[in-house]
Amino acid sequence: MVRIVARGDDAGACVAANRAVEQAAREGVLKNASVLACGPALADAAERFKTLPGLCIGLHLALASEWDRLTWAPVSRHPLLTDSRGCLQQSPAHLPHTTEAIEAMLLEADAQLGALRAAGLEPAYMDEHMATSAWAVPELKAPLAAWAKERNLPWPSLPGVPGEGSLIERLKTCPAGDYLYVNHPSFPDDDALLMGNTDLPLQEILEERDTDRQLWLDLAFIENVQFVSWREIL
């Protein structure tokens, strides 16, 4: 059996993303939603997702706010994490690497976890928005892993689906095993129209994320593949 941990990221960033996650969970095969606890649409996400008991919620720990107009600030308001806009840095590459800064990031992780729970969403796992510790601040990785372990919050990983081409094409020849597939579903309207920056034009983002949304619906017709939540794997 091929099992795919189906994960949609950036829920809570905007209502358009929340709507897409909700549709993909109700009508498609999406089983996991990684939620930005500092996102401006967190309350909307909580309202929508509480009626989806089969949807596994994760803390999508964010230390960056990449868009020019759709932004989010650190829940902790820690000055080491805040840029001139009063938001999180636009790129994790702009984060400091000092011991004090790492401590600030862990405090922010606590604040975001608390905000997610206060909204009524209990995470079964965590991951990182823009994979901060994987490339931008490697000094964060070990302390963050210890932080997650202390809070009994799994930080799991699996290999991606092997092969080339679209996910549907790759699944036709995929060996048996467990894999992770992540995308960013959103409708191309509403507050999603606030996304974009100088490196990623709005129209390109809207098209890509609407395709991501539709993929979860199309995959409902794929045979011999089981789409699962992290809860089932863990």
Side-chain angles (χ1 to χ4, degrees):
M1 172 65 70
V2 173
R3 295 198 302 177
I4 306 295
V5 175
R7 192 181 106 200
D9 280 6
D10 290 2
C14 60
V15 173
N18 295 342
R19 288 167 45 223
V21 167
E22 181 182 25
Q23 182 196 44
R26 289 190 187 279
E27 303 173 22
V29 299
L30 186 65
K31 301 297 181 182
N32 305 271
S34 292
V35 181
L36 288 163
C38 55
L42 173 62
D44 177 82
E47 185 66 24
R48 292 175 187 278
F49 300 166
K50 69 182 182 182
T51 62
L52 297 170
L55 186 65
C56 185
I57 299 300
L59 170 65
H60 197 45
L61 178 63
L63 297 171
S65 177
E66 63 269 34
W67 309 129
D68 291 338
R69 294 181 295 163
L70 180 65
T71 60
W72 40 89
V75 178
S76 65
R77 303 291 174 177
H78 199 291
L80 282 177
L81 305 179
T82 307
D83 68 7
S84 60
R85 306 172 300 168
C87 304
L88 288 165
Q89 299 288 344
Q90 278 202 279
S91 169
H94 300 153
L95 288 164
H97 294 226
T98 64
T99 299
E100 185 181 5
I102 299 300
E103 291 173 354
M105 294 174 205
L106 297 177
L107 288 173
E108 177 63 17
D110 264 329
Q112 290 187 21
L113 178 58
L116 195 64
R117 287 172 169 165
L121 296 175
E122 182 59 39
Y125 68 94
M126 68 155 282
D127 53 53
E128 289 184 285
H129 182 60
M130 301 180 77
T132 298
S133 73
W135 64 277
V137 190
E139 298 89 344
L140 174 63
K141 190 164 189 176
L144 185 58
W147 174 89
K149 184 175 181 180
E150 288 170 3
R151 285 150 186 78
N152 296 313
L153 189 61
W155 185 6
S157 64
L158 281 173
V161 180
E164 298 181 357
S166 70
L167 177 61
I168 292 175
E169 287 298 316
R170 282 182 277 163
L171 287 175
K172 293 178 181 178
T173 58
C174 186
D178 294 340
Y179 304 93
L180 173 65
Y181 188 81
V182 180
N183 70 13
H184 300 78
S186 179
F187 282 96
D189 56 23
D190 204 348
D191 46 355
L193 299 177
L194 297 174
M195 290 191 288
N197 56 37
T198 54
D199 295 323
L200 292 170
L202 174 61
Q203 193 57 40
E204 178 182 323
I205 298 163
L206 293 178
E207 291 174 1
E208 179 180 288
R209 297 196 174 203
D210 192 41
T211 298
D212 286 351
R213 175 192 62 83
Q214 185 62 44
L215 177 65
W216 297 122
L217 307 181
D218 295 342
L219 287 168
F221 303 100
I222 298 294
E223 297 181 353
N224 302 318
V225 176
Q226 185 180 4
F227 296 92
V228 299
S229 70
W230 272 125
R231 191 178 292 111
E232 293 170 84
I233 294 287
L234 296 171

mmCIF file of all heavy atoms in Angstrom, residues 167-213:
data_model
loop_
_atom_site.group_PDB
_atom_site.id
_atom_site.type_symbol
_atom_site.label_atom_id
_atom_site.label_comp_id
_atom_site.label_asym_id
_atom_site.label_seq_id
_atom_site.Cartn_x
_atom_site.Cartn_y
_atom_site.Cartn_z
ATOM 1 N N LEU A 167 2.095 14.899 -9.347
ATOM 2 C CA LEU A 167 1.896 13.907 -8.281
ATOM 3 C C LEU A 167 1.087 12.723 -8.802
ATOM 4 O O LEU A 167 1.400 11.561 -8.492
ATOM 5 C CB LEU A 167 1.185 14.553 -7.094
ATOM 6 C CG LEU A 167 0.850 13.603 -5.933
ATOM 7 C CD1 LEU A 167 2.114 12.981 -5.344
ATOM 8 C CD2 LEU A 167 0.050 14.312 -4.854
ATOM 9 N N ILE A 168 0.070 12.982 -9.583
ATOM 10 C CA ILE A 168 -0.759 11.893 -10.112
ATOM 11 C C ILE A 168 0.081 10.950 -10.955
ATOM 12 O O ILE A 168 -0.049 9.718 -10.865
ATOM 13 C CB ILE A 168 -1.948 12.465 -10.906
ATOM 14 C CG1 ILE A 168 -2.918 13.181 -9.941
ATOM 15 C CG2 ILE A 168 -2.672 11.372 -11.678
ATOM 16 C CD1 ILE A 168 -4.071 13.887 -10.622
ATOM 17 N N GLU A 169 0.977 11.484 -11.770
ATOM 18 C CA GLU A 169 1.857 10.642 -12.586
ATOM 19 C C GLU A 169 2.811 9.846 -11.708
ATOM 20 O O GLU A 169 3.049 8.653 -11.941
ATOM 21 C CB GLU A 169 2.643 11.508 -13.580
ATOM 22 C CG GLU A 169 1.816 12.048 -14.719
ATOM 23 C CD GLU A 169 1.235 10.932 -15.577
ATOM 24 O OE1 GLU A 169 1.978 9.975 -15.898
ATOM 25 O OE2 GLU A 169 0.048 11.012 -15.919
ATOM 26 N N ARG A 170 3.372 10.477 -10.701
ATOM 27 C CA ARG A 170 4.320 9.791 -9.819
ATOM 28 C C ARG A 170 3.653 8.663 -9.042
ATOM 29 O O ARG A 170 4.267 7.625 -8.772
ATOM 30 C CB ARG A 170 4.957 10.793 -8.862
ATOM 31 C CG ARG A 170 6.051 11.627 -9.483
ATOM 32 C CD ARG A 170 6.679 12.553 -8.477
ATOM 33 N NE ARG A 170 5.906 13.775 -8.300
ATOM 34 C CZ ARG A 170 6.041 14.604 -7.283
ATOM 35 N NH1 ARG A 170 6.890 14.321 -6.310
ATOM 36 N NH2 ARG A 170 5.326 15.710 -7.210
ATOM 37 N N LEU A 171 2.400 8.852 -8.674
ATOM 38 C CA LEU A 171 1.708 7.823 -7.892
ATOM 39 C C LEU A 171 1.459 6.550 -8.697
ATOM 40 O O LEU A 171 1.290 5.475 -8.119
ATOM 41 C CB LEU A 171 0.385 8.373 -7.366
ATOM 42 C CG LEU A 171 0.501 9.389 -6.229
ATOM 43 C CD1 LEU A 171 -0.870 9.954 -5.880
ATOM 44 C CD2 LEU A 171 1.158 8.782 -5.002
ATOM 45 N N LYS A 172 1.482 6.646 -10.017
ATOM 46 C CA LYS A 172 1.252 5.464 -10.850
ATOM 47 C C LYS A 172 2.365 4.444 -10.715
ATOM 48 O O LYS A 172 2.146 3.237 -10.918
ATOM 49 C CB LYS A 172 1.099 5.886 -12.313
ATOM 50 C CG LYS A 172 -0.157 6.696 -12.597
ATOM 51 C CD LYS A 172 -0.213 7.130 -14.056
ATOM 52 C CE LYS A 172 -1.452 7.969 -14.350
ATOM 53 N NZ LYS A 172 -1.484 8.434 -15.770
ATOM 54 N N THR A 173 3.586 4.894 -10.386
ATOM 55 C CA THR A 173 4.733 3.988 -10.284
ATOM 56 C C THR A 173 5.381 4.029 -8.898
ATOM 57 O O THR A 173 6.486 3.533 -8.723
ATOM 58 C CB THR A 173 5.790 4.357 -11.344
ATOM 59 O OG1 THR A 173 6.185 5.721 -11.157
ATOM 60 C CG2 THR A 173 5.230 4.187 -12.745
ATOM 61 N N CYS A 174 4.698 4.592 -7.946
ATOM 62 C CA CYS A 174 5.286 4.767 -6.612
ATOM 63 C C CYS A 174 5.387 3.438 -5.868
ATOM 64 O O CYS A 174 4.404 2.703 -5.770
ATOM 65 C CB CYS A 174 4.422 5.750 -5.820
ATOM 66 S SG CYS A 174 5.111 6.185 -4.218
ATOM 67 N N PRO A 175 6.562 3.091 -5.320
ATOM 68 C CA PRO A 175 6.684 1.872 -4.526
ATOM 69 C C PRO A 175 5.857 1.965 -3.249
ATOM 70 O O PRO A 175 5.564 3.065 -2.761
ATOM 71 C CB PRO A 175 8.190 1.806 -4.194
ATOM 72 C CG PRO A 175 8.840 2.759 -5.127
ATOM 73 C CD PRO A 175 7.834 3.814 -5.433
ATOM 74 N N ALA A 176 5.496 0.825 -2.706
ATOM 75 C CA ALA A 176 4.755 0.799 -1.450
ATOM 76 C C ALA A 176 5.573 1.493 -0.365
ATOM 77 O O ALA A 176 6.806 1.424 -0.333
ATOM 78 C CB ALA A 176 4.463 -0.638 -1.051
ATOM 79 N N GLY A 177 4.876 2.200 0.519
ATOM 80 C CA GLY A 177 5.548 2.902 1.605
ATOM 81 C C GLY A 177 4.766 4.124 2.022
ATOM 82 O O GLY A 177 3.697 4.418 1.487
ATOM 83 N N ASP A 178 5.320 4.841 2.984
ATOM 84 C CA ASP A 178 4.703 6.059 3.503
ATOM 85 C C ASP A 178 5.465 7.271 2.985
ATOM 86 O O ASP A 178 6.703 7.313 3.047
ATOM 87 C CB ASP A 178 4.717 6.067 5.034
ATOM 88 C CG ASP A 178 3.837 4.989 5.634
ATOM 89 O OD1 ASP A 178 2.935 4.488 4.927
ATOM 90 O OD2 ASP A 178 4.039 4.638 6.817
ATOM 91 N N TYR A 179 4.729 8.287 2.512
ATOM 92 C CA TYR A 179 5.325 9.477 1.933
ATOM 93 C C TYR A 179 4.568 10.723 2.405
ATOM 94 O O TYR A 179 3.425 10.646 2.855
ATOM 95 C CB TYR A 179 5.281 9.415 0.401
ATOM 96 C CG TYR A 179 5.931 8.185 -0.184
ATOM 97 C CD1 TYR A 179 5.176 7.051 -0.455
ATOM 98 C CD2 TYR A 179 7.287 8.164 -0.460
ATOM 99 C CE1 TYR A 179 5.767 5.909 -0.990
ATOM 100 C CE2 TYR A 179 7.889 7.035 -1.000
ATOM 101 C CZ TYR A 179 7.125 5.911 -1.260
ATOM 102 O OH TYR A 179 7.719 4.787 -1.782
ATOM 103 N N LEU A 180 5.229 11.859 2.258
ATOM 104 C CA LEU A 180 4.619 13.145 2.589
ATOM 105 C C LEU A 180 4.466 13.976 1.321
ATOM 106 O O LEU A 180 5.384 14.061 0.510
ATOM 107 C CB LEU A 180 5.514 13.901 3.580
ATOM 108 C CG LEU A 180 5.129 15.349 3.916
ATOM 109 C CD1 LEU A 180 3.794 15.401 4.646
ATOM 110 C CD2 LEU A 180 6.224 16.011 4.759
ATOM 111 N N TYR A 181 3.273 14.575 1.158
ATOM 112 C CA TYR A 181 3.074 15.521 0.066
ATOM 113 C C TYR A 181 2.434 16.782 0.630
ATOM 114 O O TYR A 181 1.401 16.728 1.306
ATOM 115 C CB TYR A 181 2.196 14.956 -1.051
ATOM 116 C CG TYR A 181 2.158 15.880 -2.243
ATOM 117 C CD1 TYR A 181 3.189 15.882 -3.168
ATOM 118 C CD2 TYR A 181 1.109 16.779 -2.416
ATOM 119 C CE1 TYR A 181 3.190 16.747 -4.249
ATOM 120 C CE2 TYR A 181 1.097 17.648 -3.492
ATOM 121 C CZ TYR A 181 2.137 17.628 -4.410
ATOM 122 O OH TYR A 181 2.146 18.498 -5.468
ATOM 123 N N VAL A 182 3.065 17.919 0.349
ATOM 124 C CA VAL A 182 2.645 19.205 0.908
ATOM 125 C C VAL A 182 2.364 20.190 -0.219
ATOM 126 O O VAL A 182 3.134 20.274 -1.194
ATOM 127 C CB VAL A 182 3.756 19.793 1.817
ATOM 128 C CG1 VAL A 182 3.314 21.138 2.386
ATOM 129 C CG2 VAL A 182 4.118 18.829 2.924
ATOM 130 N N ASN A 183 1.258 20.917 -0.108
ATOM 131 C CA ASN A 183 1.057 22.055 -0.995
ATOM 132 C C ASN A 183 0.325 23.167 -0.245
ATOM 133 O O ASN A 183 0.164 23.102 0.978
ATOM 134 C CB ASN A 183 0.369 21.650 -2.308
ATOM 135 C CG ASN A 183 -1.077 21.262 -2.145
ATOM 136 O OD1 ASN A 183 -1.712 21.496 -1.118
ATOM 137 N ND2 ASN A 183 -1.632 20.649 -3.183
ATOM 138 N N HIS A 184 -0.104 24.193 -0.968
ATOM 139 C CA HIS A 184 -0.661 25.392 -0.348
ATOM 140 C C HIS A 184 -2.001 25.736 -1.002
ATOM 141 O O HIS A 184 -2.075 26.642 -1.835
ATOM 142 C CB HIS A 184 0.307 26.567 -0.491
ATOM 143 C CG HIS A 184 1.643 26.330 0.149
ATOM 144 N ND1 HIS A 184 2.624 25.565 -0.435
ATOM 145 C CD2 HIS A 184 2.146 26.754 1.325
ATOM 146 C CE1 HIS A 184 3.686 25.522 0.358
ATOM 147 N NE2 HIS A 184 3.422 26.244 1.430
ATOM 148 N N PRO A 185 -3.058 25.039 -0.650
ATOM 149 C CA PRO A 185 -4.336 25.275 -1.319
ATOM 150 C C PRO A 185 -4.946 26.624 -0.961
ATOM 151 O O PRO A 185 -4.898 27.073 0.182
ATOM 152 C CB PRO A 185 -5.212 24.126 -0.794
ATOM 153 C CG PRO A 185 -4.613 23.744 0.522
ATOM 154 C CD PRO A 185 -3.147 23.973 0.373
ATOM 155 N N SER A 186 -5.524 27.260 -1.968
ATOM 156 C CA SER A 186 -6.256 28.508 -1.747
ATOM 157 C C SER A 186 -7.168 28.764 -2.934
ATOM 158 O O SER A 186 -6.856 28.367 -4.064
ATOM 159 C CB SER A 186 -5.306 29.695 -1.579
ATOM 160 O OG SER A 186 -6.026 30.901 -1.388
ATOM 161 N N PHE A 187 -8.291 29.407 -2.673
ATOM 162 C CA PHE A 187 -9.086 29.955 -3.765
ATOM 163 C C PHE A 187 -8.398 31.226 -4.268
ATOM 164 O O PHE A 187 -7.754 31.935 -3.488
ATOM 165 C CB PHE A 187 -10.504 30.270 -3.293
ATOM 166 C CG PHE A 187 -11.394 29.070 -3.181
ATOM 167 C CD1 PHE A 187 -11.569 28.418 -1.966
ATOM 168 C CD2 PHE A 187 -12.059 28.579 -4.294
ATOM 169 C CE1 PHE A 187 -12.386 27.302 -1.860
ATOM 170 C CE2 PHE A 187 -12.882 27.457 -4.205
ATOM 171 C CZ PHE A 187 -13.049 26.814 -2.986
ATOM 172 N N PRO A 188 -8.544 31.547 -5.554
ATOM 173 C CA PRO A 188 -7.848 32.714 -6.113
ATOM 174 C C PRO A 188 -8.668 33.998 -5.994
ATOM 175 O O PRO A 188 -8.804 34.764 -6.949
ATOM 176 C CB PRO A 188 -7.656 32.309 -7.575
ATOM 177 C CG PRO A 188 -8.879 31.492 -7.879
ATOM 178 C CD PRO A 188 -9.193 30.739 -6.610
ATOM 179 N N ASP A 189 -9.223 34.233 -4.820
ATOM 180 C CA ASP A 189 -10.084 35.403 -4.655
ATOM 181 C C ASP A 189 -10.014 35.875 -3.204
ATOM 182 O O ASP A 189 -9.140 35.468 -2.455
ATOM 183 C CB ASP A 189 -11.531 35.068 -5.068
ATOM 184 C CG ASP A 189 -12.096 33.864 -4.307
ATOM 185 O OD1 ASP A 189 -11.606 33.543 -3.193
ATOM 186 O OD2 ASP A 189 -13.039 33.225 -4.805
ATOM 187 N N ASP A 190 -10.958 36.738 -2.826
ATOM 188 C CA ASP A 190 -11.078 37.179 -1.435
ATOM 189 C C ASP A 190 -9.751 37.800 -0.979
ATOM 190 O O ASP A 190 -9.079 38.490 -1.720
ATOM 191 C CB ASP A 190 -11.505 35.983 -0.573
ATOM 192 C CG ASP A 190 -12.199 36.363 0.717
ATOM 193 O OD1 ASP A 190 -12.186 37.538 1.103
ATOM 194 O OD2 ASP A 190 -12.773 35.470 1.361
ATOM 195 N N ASP A 191 -9.329 37.492 0.248
ATOM 196 C CA ASP A 191 -8.107 38.100 0.769
ATOM 197 C C ASP A 191 -6.832 37.463 0.223
ATOM 198 O O ASP A 191 -5.735 37.962 0.488
ATOM 199 C CB ASP A 191 -8.098 38.102 2.303
ATOM 200 C CG ASP A 191 -8.510 36.768 2.900
ATOM 201 O OD1 ASP A 191 -8.891 35.852 2.146
ATOM 202 O OD2 ASP A 191 -8.475 36.635 4.133
ATOM 203 N N ALA A 192 -6.956 36.394 -0.567
ATOM 204 C CA ALA A 192 -5.773 35.865 -1.261
ATOM 205 C C ALA A 192 -5.220 36.886 -2.244
ATOM 206 O O ALA A 192 -4.041 36.816 -2.623
ATOM 207 C CB ALA A 192 -6.117 34.575 -1.991
ATOM 208 N N LEU A 193 -6.037 37.850 -2.631
ATOM 209 C CA LEU A 193 -5.592 38.885 -3.562
ATOM 210 C C LEU A 193 -4.564 39.819 -2.937
ATOM 211 O O LEU A 193 -3.989 40.665 -3.623
ATOM 212 C CB LEU A 193 -6.790 39.684 -4.060
ATOM 213 C CG LEU A 193 -7.847 38.886 -4.825
ATOM 214 C CD1 LEU A 193 -9.021 39.784 -5.188
ATOM 215 C CD2 LEU A 193 -7.266 38.243 -6.070
ATOM 216 N N LEU A 194 -4.315 39.654 -1.635
ATOM 217 C CA LEU A 194 -3.306 40.464 -0.951
ATOM 218 C C LEU A 194 -1.932 39.800 -0.932
ATOM 219 O O LEU A 194 -0.966 40.383 -0.459
ATOM 220 C CB LEU A 194 -3.749 40.751 0.490
ATOM 221 C CG LEU A 194 -5.030 41.571 0.656
ATOM 222 C CD1 LEU A 194 -5.415 41.642 2.131
ATOM 223 C CD2 LEU A 194 -4.862 42.964 0.075
ATOM 224 N N MET A 195 -1.850 38.578 -1.437
ATOM 225 C CA MET A 195 -0.563 37.899 -1.471
ATOM 226 C C MET A 195 0.329 38.500 -2.550
ATOM 227 O O MET A 195 -0.110 39.296 -3.367
ATOM 228 C CB MET A 195 -0.748 36.398 -1.702
ATOM 229 C CG MET A 195 -1.360 35.662 -0.521
ATOM 230 S SD MET A 195 -1.286 33.856 -0.663
ATOM 231 C CE MET A 195 -2.509 33.567 -1.926
ATOM 232 N N GLY A 196 1.585 38.078 -2.529
ATOM 233 C CA GLY A 196 2.525 38.516 -3.546
ATOM 234 C C GLY A 196 3.616 39.420 -2.995
ATOM 235 O O GLY A 196 3.432 40.108 -1.987
ATOM 236 N N ASN A 197 4.763 39.378 -3.650
ATOM 237 C CA ASN A 197 5.876 40.283 -3.357
ATOM 238 C C ASN A 197 6.695 40.454 -4.635
ATOM 239 O O ASN A 197 6.286 39.986 -5.699
ATOM 240 C CB ASN A 197 6.721 39.772 -2.178
ATOM 241 C CG ASN A 197 7.256 38.366 -2.393
ATOM 242 O OD1 ASN A 197 7.617 37.990 -3.517
ATOM 243 N ND2 ASN A 197 7.316 37.564 -1.330
ATOM 244 N N THR A 198 7.806 41.119 -4.532
ATOM 245 C CA THR A 198 8.580 41.420 -5.746
ATOM 246 C C THR A 198 9.128 40.165 -6.420
ATOM 247 O O THR A 198 9.352 40.157 -7.631
ATOM 248 C CB THR A 198 9.755 42.360 -5.413
ATOM 249 O OG1 THR A 198 10.526 41.789 -4.345
ATOM 250 C CG2 THR A 198 9.242 43.720 -4.976
ATOM 251 N N ASP A 199 9.337 39.101 -5.651
ATOM 252 C CA ASP A 199 9.871 37.862 -6.222
ATOM 253 C C ASP A 199 8.786 36.921 -6.725
ATOM 254 O O ASP A 199 9.032 36.097 -7.614
ATOM 255 C CB ASP A 199 10.728 37.136 -5.182
ATOM 256 C CG ASP A 199 11.974 37.916 -4.811
ATOM 257 O OD1 ASP A 199 12.545 38.549 -5.718
ATOM 258 O OD2 ASP A 199 12.358 37.900 -3.629
ATOM 259 N N LEU A 200 7.593 37.020 -6.130
ATOM 260 C CA LEU A 200 6.504 36.114 -6.483
ATOM 261 C C LEU A 200 5.277 36.941 -6.855
ATOM 262 O O LEU A 200 4.536 37.389 -5.977
ATOM 263 C CB LEU A 200 6.188 35.183 -5.310
ATOM 264 C CG LEU A 200 7.261 34.154 -4.962
ATOM 265 C CD1 LEU A 200 6.949 33.473 -3.644
ATOM 266 C CD2 LEU A 200 7.370 33.108 -6.070
ATOM 267 N N PRO A 201 5.028 37.143 -8.145
ATOM 268 C CA PRO A 201 3.880 37.947 -8.586
ATOM 269 C C PRO A 201 2.552 37.311 -8.168
ATOM 270 O O PRO A 201 2.415 36.084 -8.122
ATOM 271 C CB PRO A 201 4.027 37.965 -10.111
ATOM 272 C CG PRO A 201 5.438 37.589 -10.384
ATOM 273 C CD PRO A 201 5.850 36.683 -9.265
ATOM 274 N N LEU A 202 1.581 38.151 -7.892
ATOM 275 C CA LEU A 202 0.289 37.693 -7.401
ATOM 276 C C LEU A 202 -0.353 36.671 -8.323
ATOM 277 O O LEU A 202 -0.823 35.622 -7.860
ATOM 278 C CB LEU A 202 -0.651 38.896 -7.211
ATOM 279 C CG LEU A 202 -2.096 38.553 -6.841
ATOM 280 C CD1 LEU A 202 -2.159 37.811 -5.522
ATOM 281 C CD2 LEU A 202 -2.944 39.818 -6.805
ATOM 282 N N GLN A 203 -0.418 36.935 -9.615
ATOM 283 C CA GLN A 203 -1.126 36.036 -10.518
ATOM 284 C C GLN A 203 -0.507 34.644 -10.525
ATOM 285 O O GLN A 203 -1.224 33.628 -10.564
ATOM 286 C CB GLN A 203 -1.138 36.610 -11.940
ATOM 287 C CG GLN A 203 -2.115 35.904 -12.882
ATOM 288 C CD GLN A 203 -3.549 35.922 -12.366
ATOM 289 O OE1 GLN A 203 -4.006 36.926 -11.815
ATOM 290 N NE2 GLN A 203 -4.249 34.812 -12.529
ATOM 291 N N GLU A 204 0.794 34.584 -10.459
ATOM 292 C CA GLU A 204 1.491 33.294 -10.418
ATOM 293 C C GLU A 204 1.115 32.518 -9.155
ATOM 294 O O GLU A 204 0.864 31.314 -9.199
ATOM 295 C CB GLU A 204 2.998 33.539 -10.468
ATOM 296 C CG GLU A 204 3.849 32.294 -10.395
ATOM 297 C CD GLU A 204 5.333 32.618 -10.408
ATOM 298 O OE1 GLU A 204 5.721 33.560 -11.127
ATOM 299 O OE2 GLU A 204 6.097 31.942 -9.702
ATOM 300 N N ILE A 205 1.062 33.209 -8.029
ATOM 301 C CA ILE A 205 0.713 32.568 -6.763
ATOM 302 C C ILE A 205 -0.722 32.067 -6.787
ATOM 303 O O ILE A 205 -1.018 30.933 -6.381
ATOM 304 C CB ILE A 205 0.908 33.548 -5.590
ATOM 305 C CG1 ILE A 205 2.358 33.964 -5.477
ATOM 306 C CG2 ILE A 205 0.433 32.935 -4.272
ATOM 307 C CD1 ILE A 205 2.558 35.199 -4.637
ATOM 308 N N LEU A 206 -1.643 32.921 -7.274
ATOM 309 C CA LEU A 206 -3.051 32.549 -7.305
ATOM 310 C C LEU A 206 -3.277 31.308 -8.156
ATOM 311 O O LEU A 206 -4.024 30.393 -7.770
ATOM 312 C CB LEU A 206 -3.889 33.713 -7.836
ATOM 313 C CG LEU A 206 -3.956 34.962 -6.961
ATOM 314 C CD1 LEU A 206 -4.788 36.030 -7.647
ATOM 315 C CD2 LEU A 206 -4.528 34.645 -5.580
ATOM 316 N N GLU A 207 -2.652 31.261 -9.316
ATOM 317 C CA GLU A 207 -2.816 30.104 -10.201
ATOM 318 C C GLU A 207 -2.257 28.834 -9.561
ATOM 319 O O GLU A 207 -2.889 27.770 -9.620
ATOM 320 C CB GLU A 207 -2.124 30.379 -11.541
ATOM 321 C CG GLU A 207 -2.813 31.449 -12.364
ATOM 322 C CD GLU A 207 -2.042 31.805 -13.625
ATOM 323 O OE1 GLU A 207 -0.966 31.194 -13.857
ATOM 324 O OE2 GLU A 207 -2.499 32.695 -14.371
ATOM 325 N N GLU A 208 -1.088 28.954 -8.961
ATOM 326 C CA GLU A 208 -0.455 27.787 -8.353
ATOM 327 C C GLU A 208 -1.285 27.259 -7.184
ATOM 328 O O GLU A 208 -1.504 26.046 -7.059
ATOM 329 C CB GLU A 208 0.945 28.159 -7.876
ATOM 330 C CG GLU A 208 1.695 27.024 -7.209
ATOM 331 C CD GLU A 208 3.083 27.444 -6.752
ATOM 332 O OE1 GLU A 208 3.954 27.623 -7.626
ATOM 333 O OE2 GLU A 208 3.273 27.616 -5.538
ATOM 334 N N ARG A 209 -1.781 28.154 -6.342
ATOM 335 C CA ARG A 209 -2.504 27.714 -5.147
ATOM 336 C C ARG A 209 -3.917 27.224 -5.464
ATOM 337 O O ARG A 209 -4.442 26.358 -4.771
ATOM 338 C CB ARG A 209 -2.486 28.821 -4.101
ATOM 339 C CG ARG A 209 -1.062 29.107 -3.659
ATOM 340 C CD ARG A 209 -0.927 29.896 -2.392
ATOM 341 N NE ARG A 209 0.491 29.967 -2.038
ATOM 342 C CZ ARG A 209 0.962 30.182 -0.832
ATOM 343 N NH1 ARG A 209 0.135 30.358 0.184
ATOM 344 N NH2 ARG A 209 2.263 30.211 -0.598
ATOM 345 N N ASP A 210 -4.508 27.747 -6.513
ATOM 346 C CA ASP A 210 -5.789 27.207 -6.942
ATOM 347 C C ASP A 210 -5.602 25.809 -7.525
ATOM 348 O O ASP A 210 -6.438 24.918 -7.319
ATOM 349 C CB ASP A 210 -6.432 28.135 -7.967
ATOM 350 C CG ASP A 210 -7.881 27.776 -8.240
ATOM 351 O OD1 ASP A 210 -8.615 27.451 -7.272
ATOM 352 O OD2 ASP A 210 -8.295 27.811 -9.411
ATOM 353 N N THR A 211 -4.505 25.591 -8.245
ATOM 354 C CA THR A 211 -4.171 24.245 -8.743
ATOM 355 C C THR A 211 -3.944 23.293 -7.576
ATOM 356 O O THR A 211 -4.365 22.126 -7.614
ATOM 357 C CB THR A 211 -2.920 24.308 -9.637
ATOM 358 O OG1 THR A 211 -3.184 25.142 -10.767
ATOM 359 C CG2 THR A 211 -2.522 22.925 -10.133
ATOM 360 N N ASP A 212 -3.276 23.772 -6.530
ATOM 361 C CA ASP A 212 -3.067 22.952 -5.334
ATOM 362 C C ASP A 212 -4.404 22.549 -4.711
ATOM 363 O O ASP A 212 -4.575 21.402 -4.262
ATOM 364 C CB ASP A 212 -2.246 23.729 -4.301
ATOM 365 C CG ASP A 212 -0.777 23.849 -4.677
ATOM 366 O OD1 ASP A 212 -0.352 23.189 -5.647
ATOM 367 O OD2 ASP A 212 -0.053 24.593 -3.993
ATOM 368 N N ARG A 213 -5.338 23.482 -4.661
ATOM 369 C CA ARG A 213 -6.668 23.189 -4.117
ATOM 370 C C ARG A 213 -7.356 22.100 -4.934
ATOM 371 O O ARG A 213 -7.889 21.120 -4.384
ATOM 372 C CB ARG A 213 -7.522 24.462 -4.120
ATOM 373 C CG ARG A 213 -8.969 24.258 -3.683
ATOM 374 C CD ARG A 213 -9.821 25.478 -3.998
ATOM 375 N NE ARG A 213 -9.884 25.765 -5.426
ATOM 376 C CZ ARG A 213 -10.714 25.162 -6.266
ATOM 377 N NH1 ARG A 213 -11.548 24.225 -5.839
ATOM 378 N NH2 ARG A 213 -10.713 25.479 -7.549
#
